[in-house]
Amino acid sequence: MKKFSFELEKILEFRNFEKQEAEAELAKALSKENEIKQNLEMIANQMIVSNQSVDKSSSFDDVIAQSRYNNLLNYKKEESLKELAQANLVTEEKRSVLAECMKKTIALEKLKEKRKEEWKIASDYEEAEAMDEASNHLKFEK
């Protein structure tokens, strides 16, 4: 019996490679997003600490210094929010690329399964035919 071979196997392998690359790119984009979110959390925590220390301070110079520090933190927050918005766009782009790769891969995998089922049916039929022929041949020899 002949072994099953899928004529588009190389293309399927290439599509799987593309899908793996797209998954890696999406993982990088998500990692970048998480890094920015952690940075925003750190800035928020610094603002809380800074506001608490201003409340405790009675010196005008301390209040001015804390005000400048809060302005710096607000600037960093705004910049981080811009980075996050950009990272979100990149992540969505990477998701759409991955979705497209998965669609192409799934279509080829379904085609492969269909062809394999057809091959199995044809192979089983050929085997049954060969057995019938062999049994008929044995009947005529007796």
Side-chain angles (χ1 to χ4, degrees), residues 20-137:
Q20 289 172 346
E21 290 293 310
E23 287 170 344
E25 290 295 317
L26 178 59
K28 287 179 190 175
L30 288 170
S31 175
K32 179 68 175 170
E33 258 187 63
N34 287 334
E35 181 183 314
I36 295 168
K37 287 176 183 177
Q38 287 175 349
N39 189 32
L40 282 167
E41 285 179 31
M42 185 180 68
I43 291 170
N45 289 334
Q46 288 173 340
M47 289 181 106
I48 291 169
V49 170
S50 175
N51 288 335
Q52 289 172 348
S53 67
V54 167
D55 293 341
K56 294 175 184 174
S57 178
S58 60
S59 167
F60 185 71
D61 290 335
D62 289 344
V63 172
I64 294 295
Q66 289 297 345
S67 176
R68 287 183 181 151
Y69 183 63
N70 282 342
N71 287 341
L72 174 65
L73 289 176
N74 279 325
Y75 175 77
K76 286 182 176 181
K77 179 183 79 171
E78 292 302 319
E79 290 300 310
S80 292
L81 288 172
K82 288 177 189 175
E83 284 181 39
L84 183 59
Q86 185 63 33
N88 284 335
L89 291 174
V90 170
T91 300
E92 288 307 312
E93 178 186 321
K94 300 298 181 186
R95 274 195 180 104
S96 67
V97 168
L98 177 60
E100 188 64 31
C101 288
M102 289 175 74
K103 208 181 331 179
K104 290 176 182 178
T105 303
I106 289 171
L108 279 174
E109 286 172 348
K110 285 182 180 179
L111 179 61
K112 181 180 180 178
E113 286 301 313
K114 182 180 176 187
R115 297 270 170 87
K116 192 170 188 174
E117 287 175 22
E118 291 170 354
W119 170 83
K120 176 114 174 79
I121 291 169
S123 178
D124 290 347
Y125 178 78
E126 287 176 14
E127 192 175 311
E129 285 285 313
M131 288 194 155
D132 284 346
E133 191 176 301
S135 73
N136 285 339
H137 187 20

